[in-house]
């Protein structure tokens, strides 16, 4: 009876130990010295109680279950707690003394050590805990049986016989039982923890679903909605009925990018667990939403895919703000472009203003000299003409006066043109021309100015180019070439001048070559600057104002071309002008569209011309230009005189000033056209305003020229009107 009570007592201690384990030690999951010492102390107390309440099998054979507790402690708690418990039991056992003291000590040390060794060397023992615990029990208690050798001699076999059965029936199953209990309790504890975590997660998920910041939905495998949080229903004004059991895709993924479409397909057909999509949709109330969706596949406990969890972040406001920002950005960019353009224009205007300022300064310092010299000659020789002088001298003086006037006119013309080119935007008037004809007519037009008998002149071009046509501004090109030609004549006292052209892909290159004075290396960098005159021109007393080449350069730039030259003071100079153009071959059958520069100087000799001009000086100027070339130049001081004159005589051309007193040019033109509908009237005006040109053309003028008038322009106008 005493034995059974002690047995129950020992079992109760072991059980309470196992309960303590659950409620206290497994919570002390964290292993540190303090926890180990606490654990060791508790085990020591348990082992002490066990040792003080042994169960006596007989008066001499006393049992306790310390071997079970110590080995299980070694297995579960490792070195420090078990070592403490082992020390406590050793102290108690040594104090008890008696025959069995050595065996008792040996059992304490061996069972604790085997438990600890098991702990360190069989780390995964819990995977097959039943077998492991059985083996541990067998090992510990086999060693215990072996420990009987430490009993006083003669008693070993006796004791062994007595304890053999309890060892097998009580100790080994006891170890197994206590170990299993602890393992189960640990398992239960973990399960309880997992459950708590699950409930916590579920609660958090519930809160997430209720969130007022995000949209939360759950979908079944077919992508149909079976839950949608309140926030979603409220914000997008959809009722539960409108949402539940409806397809998520058809409501919310109305507009998605192609890339997101592809992503979605891959998501559906692969093992991919989650995706992000950005989608726009419009509600029945015509409200637009932009949502960032996070879709995750869900799985049941058997790991079968059973639906989806969808979280949506509303980015409508951000999207709208970004859109607005983008629009503003675009507006700013456009504005920036406008400012940039304005800035360019201002810079150009500033450069032009500076250039024009520079020009003005240069002009003032040059003008007095350049104007005074021919003026002095004109006044001086006119004065001499008034005196009684022989006829021969008279002719010589008038020649000087004529040349000086021509020079003066040229100077004024050049000054007006360069300041116009450098200060205003000049429009291009592109037409089709034949380069060969252009060169020939240039020669004709300049013939009367050139009187250098010692100079031989030649037009040079490839015969294959005889009939080519180019598209460019004829007047500007003519001015460029005539300036170069004039220089060639001026700077070539004797020798040869060649003028010609050749083509390069989509370009035509004109050249003017002379064997004249050439240009010194010193002068080369400056000859295109306004008012710059080379040293030789001064020392050879060649008249000029230094504007010819700057005009050429400006005009070439207007035609988007390039100009360059090669010059050697011993050999002469070649000037090249390369301009981009469309090059075609003239179709002989159909050449009406091309302006023929075929007007011969001799043709002009048959023309009767009437000049209607209130300023007598202007009349004199035009008359001086035309008189040497045409049959007759007539003069009308105002509109009514002009009408009278036209009634009695027929004119090939009427040059009509627009601004006149009594009857202005517009009125006069209208009247004249009524009397002679075929009469060809060329309007001449000091204004460049488009309205005047419009008005003049509407009134019946056939051509419009702004002052100052150049002979080349006049001839060009005659030519075009004849062909019309
Ligand atoms: P200008 O002839 O009135 O002096 P340009 O601007 O036409 O003014 O020419 C500038 C300078 O370039 C001239 O003064 C002259 O020194 C030099 N130059 C131009 N063309 C030739 C040429 N064909 N041969 C030699 N020198 C030239």
């Amino acid at each position: 009876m005493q034995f059974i009570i002690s047995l129950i007592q020992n079992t109760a201690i072991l059980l309470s130990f196992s309960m303590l384990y659950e409620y206290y030690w497994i919570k002390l999951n964290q292993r540190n010295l303090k926890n180990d010492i606490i654990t060791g102390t508790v085990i020591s107390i348990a082992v002490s109680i066990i040792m003080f309440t042994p169960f006596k099998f007989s008066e001499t054979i006393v049992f306790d279950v310390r071997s079970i507790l110590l080995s299980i402690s070694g297995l579960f708690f490792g070195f420090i707690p078990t070592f403490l418990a082992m020390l406590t039991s050793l102290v108690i056992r040594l104090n008890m003394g008696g025959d069995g003291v050595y065996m008792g000590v040996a059992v304490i040390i061996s069972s604790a050590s085997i438990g600890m060794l098991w702990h360190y060397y069989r780390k995964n023992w819990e995977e097959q805990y039943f077998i492991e615990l059985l083996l541990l029990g067998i090992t510990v208690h086999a060693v215990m049986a072996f420990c009987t050798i430490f009993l006083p001699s003669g008693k070993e076999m006796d004791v062994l016989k007595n304890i053999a059965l309890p060892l097998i029936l009580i100790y080994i199953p006891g170890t197994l039982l206590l170990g299993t209990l602890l393992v189960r309790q640990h398992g239960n504890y973990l399960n309880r923890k997992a459950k708590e975590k699950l409930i916590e997660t579920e609660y958090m998920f519930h809160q997430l679903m209720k969130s007022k910041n995000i949209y939360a939905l759950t979908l079944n495998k077919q992508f149909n909605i079976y839950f949608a949080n309140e926030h979603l229903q409220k914000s997008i004004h959809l009722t539960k009925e409108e949402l539940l059991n409806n397809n998520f895709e058809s409501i919310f993924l109305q507009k998605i990018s192609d890339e997101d479409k592809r992503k979605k397909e891959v998501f559906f057909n692969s093992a991919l667990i989650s995706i992000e999509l950005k989608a726009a949709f419009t509600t029945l109330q015509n409200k637009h939403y932009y949502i960032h969706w996070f879709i995750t596949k869900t799985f049941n406990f058997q790991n079968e895919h059973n639906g989806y969890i969808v979280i949506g972040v509303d980015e409508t406001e951000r999207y709208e703000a970004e859109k607005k920002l983008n629009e503003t950005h675009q507006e700013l960019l456009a504005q920036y472009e406008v400012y940039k353009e304005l800035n360019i224009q201002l810079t150009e205007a500033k450069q032009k203003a500076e250039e024009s300022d520079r020009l003005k300064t240069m002009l003032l310092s040059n003008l007095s000299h350049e104007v005074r010299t021919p003026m002095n000659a004109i006044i001086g020789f006119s004065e001499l003409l008034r005196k009684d002088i022989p006829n021969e001298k008279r002719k010589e003086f008038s020649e000087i006066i004529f040349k000086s006037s021509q020079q003066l006119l040229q100077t004024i013309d050049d000054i007006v043109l360069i300041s116009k080119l450098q200060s205003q935007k000049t429009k291009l008037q592109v037409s089709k021309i034949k380069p060969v004809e252009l060169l020939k007519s240039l020669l004709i037009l300049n013939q009367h100015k050139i009187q250098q008998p010692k100079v031989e002149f030649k037009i040079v071009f490839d015969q294959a180019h005889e009939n080519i046509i180019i598209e460019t501004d004829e007047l500007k090109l003519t001015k460029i070439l005539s300036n170069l030609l004039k220089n060639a004549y001026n700077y070539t006292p004797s020798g040869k001048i060649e003028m010609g052209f050749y083509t390069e892909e989509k370009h035509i290159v004109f050249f003017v070559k002379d064997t004249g004075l050439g240009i010194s290396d010193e002068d080369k960098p400056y000859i295109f600057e306004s008012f710059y005159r080379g040293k030789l021109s001064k020392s050879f007393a060649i008249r000029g104002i230094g504007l010819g080449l700057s005009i050429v350069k400006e005009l070439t730039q207007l035609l988007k071309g390039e100009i360059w030259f090669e010059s050697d003071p011993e050999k002469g100079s070649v000037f090249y002008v390369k301009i981009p153009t469309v090059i075609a071959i003239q179709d002989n059958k159909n050449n009406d569209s091309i302006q023929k520069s075929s007007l011969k100087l001799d043709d002009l000799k048959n023309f009767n011309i009437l000049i209607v001009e209130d300023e007598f000086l202007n009349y004199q100027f035009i008359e001086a230009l035309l008189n040497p070339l045409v049959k007759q130049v007539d003069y009308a001081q105002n509109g009514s005189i002009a009408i009278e004159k036209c009634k009695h005589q027929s004119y090939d051309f009427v040059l009509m000033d627009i601004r006149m007193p009594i009857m202005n040019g517009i009125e006069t033109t209208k009247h004249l056209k009524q009397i002679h509908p075929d009469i060809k009237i060329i309007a001449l005006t000091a204004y460049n305003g488009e309205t005047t040109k419009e008005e003049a053309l509407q009134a019946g003028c056939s051509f419009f020229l702004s002052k100052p008038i150049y002979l080349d322009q006049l001839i060009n106008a005659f030519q075009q009107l004849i062909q019309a």
Side-chain angles (χ1 to χ4, degrees):
M1 192 57 187
Q2 179 64 37
F3 170 74
I4 293 179
I5 291 168
S6 300
L7 193 65
I8 293 169
Q9 212 172 29
N10 270 246
T11 313
I13 293 164
L14 288 181
L15 274 177
S16 50
F17 172 74
S18 83
M19 274 146 107
L20 265 175
Y21 167 74
E22 185 186 347
Y23 286 105
Y24 182 65
W25 297 315
I26 44 185
K27 282 178 194 157
L28 292 178
N29 238 342
Q30 243 180 326
R31 295 297 302 265
N32 55 36
L33 188 63
K34 189 182 145 208
N35 286 348
D36 276 356
I37 291 172
I38 295 171
T39 313
T41 313
V42 175
I43 303 168
S44 297
I45 294 168
V47 89
S48 308
I49 300 170
I50 285 170
M51 285 175 79
F52 285 119
T53 55
F55 47 100
K56 286 183 181 161
F57 194 67
S58 70
E59 227 13 76
T60 46
I61 304 163
V62 176
F63 292 105
D64 62 50
V65 287
R66 83 191 87 136
S67 59
I68 297 175
L69 189 58
L70 286 172
S71 59
I72 288 293
S73 159
L75 177 68
F76 278 85
F77 308 116
F79 181 70
I80 297 173
T82 313
F83 188 73
L84 282 177
M86 186 177 83
L87 278 183
T88 315
S89 0
L90 281 176
V91 171
I92 295 169
R93 186 64 194 90
L94 285 172
N95 261 336
M96 283 178 172
D99 281 352
V101 69
Y102 293 118
M103 181 187 165
V105 167
V107 168
I108 289 167
I109 294 173
S110 65
S111 43
S113 308
I114 293 169
M116 286 191 287
L117 287 172
W118 218 276
H119 175 90
Y120 290 111
Y121 288 104
R122 298 209 51 89
K123 289 253 181 271
N124 301 325
W125 66 269
E126 260 180 286
E127 283 170 16
Q128 282 186 312
Y129 67 90
F130 191 82
I131 295 170
E132 293 276 342
L133 287 169
L134 189 66
L135 283 175
L136 177 73
I138 293 169
T139 315
V140 168
H141 295 101
V143 173
M144 187 171 156
F146 179 73
C147 285
T148 48
I149 62 160
F150 294 110
L151 288 171
S153 61
K155 283 195 178 173
E156 304 99 314
M157 276 322 281
D158 205 20
V159 171
L160 194 61
K161 259 188 232 161
N162 280 313
I163 63 166
L165 207 62
L167 278 184
I168 296 166
L169 294 180
I170 299 168
Y171 281 78
I172 294 173
T175 312
L176 184 63
L177 198 74
L178 182 64
T180 309
L181 218 61
L182 296 192
V183 169
R184 286 274 170 86
Q185 268 159 351
H186 190 226
N188 285 346
Y189 170 77
L190 290 182
N191 278 347
R192 219 176 33 247
K193 271 265 163 230
K195 210 166 155 189
E196 275 168 22
K197 256 251 136 52
L198 201 69
I199 292 169
E200 214 171 275
T201 315
E202 218 175 271
Y203 183 63
M204 274 158 65
F205 184 67
H206 183 70
Q207 282 175 321
L208 182 75
M209 289 288 176
K210 290 210 136 207
S211 161
K212 293 213 159 50
N213 299 320
I214 55 159
Y215 301 142
L217 301 106
T218 50
L219 317 177
N220 65 13
K221 215 175 158 190
Q222 285 68 45
F223 232 53
N224 291 333
I225 302 166
Y226 72 82
F227 170 82
N229 72 347
E230 244 173 74
H231 178 53
L232 177 71
Q233 297 173 29
K234 275 190 189 150
S235 340
I236 60 169
H237 307 288
L238 282 176
T239 61
K240 240 185 187 153
E241 290 67 43
E242 283 167 322
L243 283 168
L244 297 187
N245 295 322
N246 282 316
N247 192 271
F248 173 78
E249 192 169 357
S250 58
I251 303 178
F252 295 109
L253 304 185
Q254 291 170 6
K255 278 175 238 159
I256 61 173
S257 68
D258 287 346
E259 202 197 321
D260 276 359
K261 261 185 209 155
R262 270 195 299 278
K263 256 167 69 180
K264 199 182 69 190
E265 285 314 307
V266 173
F267 174 65
F268 283 144
N269 301 313
S270 73
L272 214 69
I273 299 292
S274 58
I275 47 160
E276 281 179 41
L277 298 174
K278 286 196 174 176
F281 69 90
T282 309
T283 61
L284 290 173
Q285 292 80 26
N286 210 22
K287 277 192 84 180
H288 306 291
Y289 288 89
Y290 300 90
I291 317 276
H292 192 160
W293 296 108
F294 299 83
I295 307 175
T296 309
K297 285 180 189 160
T298 55
F299 298 86
N300 61 15
F301 287 120
Q302 284 73 47
N303 214 23
E304 291 159 350
H305 168 44
N306 62 354
Y308 302 88
I309 290 176
V310 183
I311 302 291
V313 179
D314 193 337
E315 292 186 343
T316 311
E317 268 178 35
R318 208 187 79 190
Y319 182 88
E320 297 290 349
E322 264 174 22
K323 211 166 109 182
K324 261 220 165 81
L325 204 74
N326 204 21
E327 277 168 17
T328 322
H329 180 71
Q330 291 304 330
E331 271 171 29
L332 281 175
L333 268 185
Q335 218 162 36
Y336 168 74
E337 285 304 319
V338 172
Y339 285 142
K340 208 167 103 184
E341 180 59 26
L342 221 72
N343 204 7
I344 293 171
Q345 283 174 5
L346 280 175
T347 316
E348 264 174 29
K350 187 175 162 254
Q351 277 168 357
K352 281 220 181 299
E354 280 168 3
E355 181 56 25
S356 134
D357 199 47
R358 194 186 73 83
L359 211 68
K360 237 187 268 166
T361 321
M362 295 290 285
L363 185 66
L364 287 175
S365 51
N366 279 279
L367 200 60
S368 81
H369 175 253
E370 290 307 325
V371 172
R372 257 171 194 285
T373 318
M375 270 301 223
N376 284 344
I378 294 165
I379 296 166
F381 284 102
S382 315
E383 182 66 33
L384 286 178
L385 279 185
R386 284 162 61 181
K387 295 190 176 139
D388 202 12
I389 48 167
N391 259 356
E392 232 172 77
K393 282 276 169 209
R394 186 174 290 275
K395 207 174 161 210
E396 191 189 321
F397 291 168
S398 8
E399 191 62 26
I400 293 171
I401 292 171
F402 177 69
K403 278 196 176 164
S404 300
S405 315
Q406 255 189 339
Q407 192 195 329
L408 189 63
L409 184 67
Q410 185 64 53
T411 302
I412 291 166
D413 270 2
D414 281 355
I415 288 172
V416 171
L417 182 60
I418 191 79
S419 61
K420 199 168 144 189
L421 285 175
Q422 291 185 344
S423 63
Q424 294 171 17
K425 275 204 168 148
T426 315
K427 279 187 198 151
L428 288 185
Q429 287 177 343
V430 177
S431 59
K432 288 182 179 166
I433 55 168
K434 237 176 123 176
V436 175
E437 295 296 342
L438 179 78
L439 295 189
K440 282 181 184 165
S441 63
L442 255 174
L443 180 64
I444 295 165
L445 288 176
N446 285 285
Q447 246 169 9
H448 61 284
K449 296 182 200 159
I450 306 157
Q451 283 140 9
Q452 303 273 27
K454 290 184 202 151
V455 178
E456 188 192 321
F457 182 82
K458 220 165 116 191
I459 293 177
V460 189
F461 59 90
D462 185 341
Q463 279 310 310
H465 291 148
E466 170 103 52
N467 287 323
I468 66 162
I469 305 156
I470 58 166
E471 281 182 23
T472 190
D473 185 318
E474 186 180 4
L475 275 183
K476 294 191 174 66
L477 182 60
T478 309
K479 183 75 186 157
I480 291 170
L481 295 177
S482 61
N483 272 16
L484 292 178
L485 187 61
K486 192 186 78 196
N487 275 356
Y489 275 113
N490 279 349
Y491 297 100
T492 311
S494 65
K496 231 166 57 181
I497 293 175
E498 284 176 4
M499 183 161 69
F501 68 90
Y502 57 90
T503 60
E504 275 177 5
E505 205 196 336
K506 289 187 182 165
H507 287 86
I508 184 160
V509 184
F510 288 96
F511 61 87
V512 180
K513 183 176 176 185
D514 64 57
T515 56
L517 302 176
I519 302 165
S520 71
D521 287 346
E522 251 173 85
D523 289 331
K524 276 179 185 169
Y526 309 108
I527 58 162
F528 289 108
E529 280 185 16
S530 314
F531 298 107
Y532 185 84
R533 306 215 61 222
K535 292 217 165 55
L536 283 177
S537 38
K538 288 177 198 158
S539 53
F540 276 77
I542 296 164
R543 296 237 61 89
I545 186 173
L547 283 180
L549 286 183
S550 12
I551 291 174
V552 168
K553 192 171 176 199
E554 288 286 340
L555 290 172
T556 310
Q557 279 171 354
L558 265 176
L559 298 183
K560 304 208 167 23
E562 292 166 54
I563 178 160
W564 72 97
F565 67 94
E566 291 156 9
S567 186
D568 185 330
E570 271 153 38
K571 292 184 194 149
S573 321
V574 201
F575 281 83
Y576 298 90
V577 173
K578 178 178 179 179
I579 50 170
T581 181
V582 179
I583 302 171
I585 306 282
Q586 185 186 13
D587 179 359
N588 279 332
K589 287 172 225 149
N590 182 17
N591 53 11
D592 295 347
S593 58
I594 301 137
Q595 295 167 19
K596 285 184 257 159
S597 303
S598 56
L599 185 72
K600 301 263 163 32
L601 222 52
D602 287 345
D603 297 342
L604 292 173
K605 293 230 161 74
N606 304 321
F607 289 169
N608 273 330
I609 290 168
L610 173 66
I611 301 172
V612 190
E613 169 68 79
D614 59 328
E615 284 286 348
F616 187 65
L617 268 175
N618 284 351
Y619 155 71
Q620 275 183 311
F621 166 64
I622 302 170
E623 197 263 351
L625 283 182
L626 292 178
N627 212 5
L629 306 173
V630 301
K631 186 176 160 193
Q632 187 197 339
V633 181
D634 228 345
Y635 175 54
Q637 206 178 356
N638 59 48
S640 36
I641 300 175
I643 294 165
E644 267 318 297
K645 287 214 164 185
C646 285
K647 279 182 186 159
H648 300 110
Q649 200 181 336
S650 79
Y651 295 100
D652 296 285
F653 295 105
V654 177
L655 306 185
M656 179 76 68
D657 184 29
I658 296 296
R659 209 169 57 156
M660 284 185 301
I662 306 171
M663 186 186 281
N664 68 25
I666 303 287
E667 290 300 308
T668 317
T669 304
K670 283 180 186 163
H671 271 90
L672 283 182
K673 275 285 183 186
Q674 277 171 2
I675 311 166
H676 300 290
D678 295 332
I679 196 162
K680 291 189 172 81
I681 303 172
I682 298 171
L684 309 178
T685 176
Y687 300 112
N688 276 332
E690 283 295 313
T691 34
T692 322
K693 183 175 178 179
E694 278 284 287
E695 260 182 283
L697 295 181
Q698 263 176 16
C701 292
S702 314
F703 214 92
F704 183 91
L705 288 176
S706 7
K707 291 176 187 173
I709 307 295
Y710 299 97
L711 181 59
D712 315 2
Q713 285 177 342
L714 267 178
I715 293 173
N716 180 50
F718 294 156
Q719 198 168 356
Q720 291 199 27
L721 292 178
I722 289 168
Q723 284 161 10

